[in-house]
Amino acid sequence: MDKFSDMTLFVSIVKNHGLAAAGRELGLSPATVTARLQSLEDRYGVKLLNRSTRHISLTDSGAMYHQACLEIIDSVKETENLLQTGVKEVRGTLKISAPRDIGKQYISPILAEFSQLYPDVIPYLYLNDNLSNLAESGLDIVIRYGELADSNLISRKLASSRRVLCASPEYLANKGTPITPQDLSQHDCLAMVRSNEELKTWHFQDEQQHNVITVVPKRFSDDGEVIRQWALDGAGIALKSILDVQEDIKQQRLVTVLNGYMKNFNASTSMARADLNAIYLSRQYQPKRLRLFIDFLIERFAQKLS
């Protein structure tokens, strides 16, 4: 079997999170997929995947091979387009993940504009607040607050941001306004769940000290948009990115509290910063559609927030 077919097979296994699903996509039997993967690992003398009955994950060698496969396959597709049409067309899929709030308010309208310019690019927009293993997810770009600690990733800042505590005027009229972080123990707090972790330890920094407060939330959600809506409904106090709620604050639907403190979910040295970033794999070769979209995204955010 030729090396390019093996690369296509390996990318399909990673994308579909399993050998059987890759076989279904490519019209191959499970036994054939298993045999070809084993032959591939034997050829290079390295293990590419850690496999159990329910899960697969890339080894270090597998991650390096997978990234190279993606680059080569994309390069071949663009070359084929160039040979067939005589021009370097912008086409193919573009898979993007973003938090729900930022995805609906910013990314979706920007993506609609981009699609008008490049109708042969087929976008997939996945809205969730969980952190992804970008190498294994099949995504081209992830929009997230903060950075992911991985040397194989490139992070481009889309917008400066910070965390704010906010609640509806109705809630504050009923329950009062907290004056210190410790006052939050008397309030209804709304907390995120991220990758099964309850983000209920909130950090506050002022000129004098660093306060660590473990709140007792009245409600949890893994969806930032739900947290924002609960705050708008008067259900409690939320710790949100300013980008998510700045229009609500401008329209006085939400009010910020404890403004003299820098706030975050962790104790990082730059607690005030929760910048919005576009994160993607570091590749020697980037598909033209991805390069164009990243530049378009940065340009549009600069215009929207100027």
Side-chain angles (χ1 to χ4, degrees), residues 12-259:
S12 180
I13 292 171
V14 175
K15 179 183 71 174
N16 289 290
H17 308 290
L19 279 66
R24 288 192 293 272
E25 180 179 73
L26 299 175
L28 301 172
S29 69
T32 298
V33 175
T34 301
R36 283 182 56 183
L37 177 61
Q38 184 62 57
S39 175
L40 184 60
E41 291 179 325
D42 290 345
R43 180 194 304 158
Y44 296 114
V46 294
K47 189 175 183 180
L48 299 173
L49 292 173
N50 295 309
R51 303 193 290 280
S52 67
T53 54
R54 294 187 177 181
H55 180 69
I56 67 166
S57 62
L58 289 166
T59 64
D60 289 343
S61 296
M64 180 174 64
Y65 180 69
H66 180 250
Q67 183 174 332
C69 289
L70 291 174
E71 294 180 19
I72 291 167
I73 291 170
D74 274 328
S75 179
V76 168
K77 286 180 179 177
E78 286 207 357
T79 301
E80 287 176 339
N81 288 334
L82 180 61
L83 290 172
Q84 290 168 0
T85 65
V87 295
K88 197 168 186 179
E89 291 187 346
V90 182
R91 62 170 60 209
T93 60
L94 188 62
K95 297 188 176 181
I96 307 148
S97 172
R100 285 188 182 276
D101 264 339
I102 215 74
K104 289 186 176 181
Q105 293 186 59
Y106 295 91
I107 306 302
S108 180
I110 291 172
L111 195 53
E113 289 184 67
F114 186 80
S115 294
Q116 290 288 325
L117 292 173
Y118 303 103
D120 290 327
V121 175
I122 308 301
Y124 293 70
L125 179 58
Y126 302 96
L127 299 178
N128 65 74
D129 289 89
N130 293 323
L131 302 178
S132 302
N133 183 325
L134 196 53
E136 296 185 22
S137 66
L139 296 168
D140 294 301
I141 182 170
V142 172
I143 312 298
R144 288 292 183 271
Y145 291 108
E147 298 184 3
L148 302 185
D150 188 331
S151 60
N152 292 317
L153 301 177
I154 296 175
S155 180
R156 298 276 301 277
K157 188 169 85 169
L158 298 176
S160 297
S161 190
R162 56 190 171 86
R163 306 282 184 191
V164 295
L165 276 178
C166 56
S168 70
E170 294 77 15
Y171 172 85
L172 296 175
N174 290 331
K175 294 294 184 77
T177 300
I179 305 302
T180 70
Q182 289 75 17
D183 292 342
L184 292 173
S185 63
Q186 306 301 315
H187 282 270
D188 300 338
C189 294
L190 311 171
M192 283 287 297
V193 179
R194 181 179 294 155
S195 301
N196 296 318
E197 178 188 2
E198 297 178 353
L199 302 183
K200 58 185 179 181
T201 302
W202 296 354
H203 296 256
F204 298 83
Q205 180 75 52
D206 63 9
E207 294 180 357
Q208 275 106 22
Q209 61 183 335
H210 179 180
N211 294 277
V212 181
I213 306 298
T214 301
V215 297
V216 181
K218 293 294 184 179
R219 299 185 188 182
F220 288 95
S221 179
D222 65 349
D223 186 331
E225 185 185 27
V226 170
I227 297 288
R228 171 172 162 257
Q229 187 59 53
W230 283 342
L232 288 167
D233 292 342
I237 298 177
L239 182 53
K240 293 288 294 177
S241 164
I242 187 65
L243 287 177
D244 289 345
V245 294
Q246 60 185 359
E247 190 61 28
D248 298 318
I249 293 167
K250 181 192 282 188
Q251 300 298 327
Q252 300 184 329
R253 295 187 293 261
L254 291 175
V255 177
T256 59
V257 298
L258 295 178
N259 294 324

